[in-house]
Amino acid sequence: VQRLASDGASGDGYGISVGTSGDYAVVGSYLDDNPSNSGSAYIIERGLGGSENWGERKRLVAQLPSTASDAAANDRFGESVAMDGDWAVIGAPEKNTARGAVYLYHRN
């Protein structure tokens, strides 16, 4: 099964990193523009849209709890991803002047 980002564009780097857990996967798109090369990640789910389909559940961008997006140009959010149970972990190695950051997301 091939899966593309619903809003993907050439050069986004969709699929640079992939993590799976059960019926879910997280897919990094580290050069997605929101703003320029800030990156994003996508949660996809097996069976969403049909029994043989992996459907897009949610697009994630760098976001602190209870705030709007804190994405900045060239963060490369999604360059590394991992998933375990209800948790997704997304790396942004260029965040904070290349000090990097890790974002944790919990499925509810």
Side-chain angles (χ1 to χ4, degrees):
V1 174
Q2 180 180 9
R3 177 74 198 142
L4 304 173
S6 62
D7 63 346
S10 178
D12 280 354
Y14 183 81
I16 185 72
S17 54
V18 178
T20 63
S21 184
D23 289 335
Y24 293 90
V26 58
V27 180
S29 184
Y30 75 118
L31 297 176
D32 191 9
D33 294 329
N34 185 40
S36 179
N37 295 338
S38 61
S40 63
Y42 297 80
I43 301 295
I44 58 175
E45 180 181 350
R46 181 189 342 235
L48 189 62
S51 63
E52 298 299 319
N53 192 50
W54 282 82
E56 186 176 307
R57 172 63 64 192
K58 184 160 183 73
R59 178 175 178 265
L60 303 173
V61 295
Q63 186 171 351
L64 299 174
S66 304
T67 68
S69 171
D70 76 329
N74 302 310
D75 283 351
R76 297 171 66 120
F77 177 88
E79 187 168 328
S80 57
V81 301
M83 182 168 257
D84 185 25
D86 291 338
W87 290 93
V89 182
I90 317 291
E94 298 299 317
K95 184 76 181 165
N96 300 317
T97 318
R99 286 182 291 171
V102 173
Y103 295 80
L104 301 171
Y105 294 86
H106 188 261
R107 181 169 53 99
N108 54 9

